[in-house]
Amino acid sequence: MDPSLDMWDFSSLISLWINRFYIYLGFAFGFSLWICFQIVIRKQNKNSQEKTVPKASRDLMTNGYISLQKKEVFVSGVKIFYGSQTGTAKGFATVLAEAVSSLGLPVALINLKEYDPDDHLVEEVTSKNVSAFLVATYTDGRPTESAEWFCRWLEEAANDFRFGKTYLKGVRYAVFGLGNSAYVSHFNKVGKDVDKWLWMLGAHRVMSRGEGDCNVVKSKHGSIEADFTAWKARFISRLQALCKGERKPCGGNCKKGKCESNQHGSEAMEPGSHAQEEFHQRDAEEEPFGSTSEEESGTEDHQSLKSVIDVEDLGKIMDRMKKEKVTAAFPDVSCVFI
């Protein structure tokens, strides 16, 4: 073996070992250049894609993924509760379910006889459903057998302080009662009671109560079927408004159940016309505790503030009342208190 060859091989290895730092530095510099080159290429590709993609689609781009905008749901479905003895309320509930289904909303028909309000009614608080109650008044103003337990529970809950006035806050409901005005003392009593008890528990009434009358002589529309048809049309119209996110049918400034927009419209009606009479009948329809669904939510906080009277203000009020009494009794000496 040639000794000079061995010396050359050994010296080259030593040279590489001594200059290893520069070799590592060269590899690192080359790798960095490659990374920068890839970043520049990807940035150019992204800019070219943004130029070709429309602005509407580009707004949906998030970190390279297309995300669908979530559409807010105001009404998730409708639950129709019915309490029937002869099948009329059940038939109306079926017709109403078909009308609701035509709007593309999920609908459920529920027989009150098979429904336990103690376990399930509170679930409607957060469900975004709208509940419709079709209840008939039976003998002596009592509910039908199928709705007897539901009405008893609802009455006890409404008068039980343990439930409170906000137990069903968030529940949206409408009531249609079936009765016969020939029995004046308890005409549509069950419908009125269910409406009142739900309201007492904090539920939100989306529209005024409907009343069907079996007495064709006094029925508003000539028959109980026509009464229901008119109420159903109002309910579907109100439901469509709720689906669009409209909470109130008017500006929300109306008081005591009288819509100012309707009042302005009624001025154009001819005196004594059928439309005007029907309008006044709707206005005269009594709501529980003189309140409507539209003003309940807006006045709850205001009423709660008014319920607390400062002691100092109470004293001022009493002094003012005493002065008024003395002034009324002795008008000639009223200047003493000025």
Side-chain angles (χ1 to χ4, degrees), residues 218-278:
K218 293 186 177 181
S219 174
K220 290 182 180 180
H221 302 89
S223 66
I224 191 171
E225 291 80 8
D227 293 338
F228 169 74
T229 301
W231 178 85
K232 182 191 69 175
R234 290 167 47 214
F235 179 78
I236 294 299
S237 176
R238 187 74 182 103
L239 194 59
Q240 290 174 328
L242 291 172
C243 290
K244 295 177 183 178
E246 299 177 12
R247 185 180 177 187
K248 299 180 180 180
C250 60
N253 297 322
C254 306
K255 297 180 179 180
K256 296 183 179 180
K258 295 184 179 180
C259 181
E260 294 176 357
S261 59
N262 289 338
Q263 288 179 355
H264 293 313
S266 65
E267 292 176 358
M269 298 180 185
E270 296 181 2
S273 64
H274 177 72
Q276 189 179 25
E277 291 177 0
E278 184 178 352

Side-chain angles (χ1 to χ4, degrees), residues 99-106:
V100 172
S101 299
S102 65
L103 301 179
L105 290 172

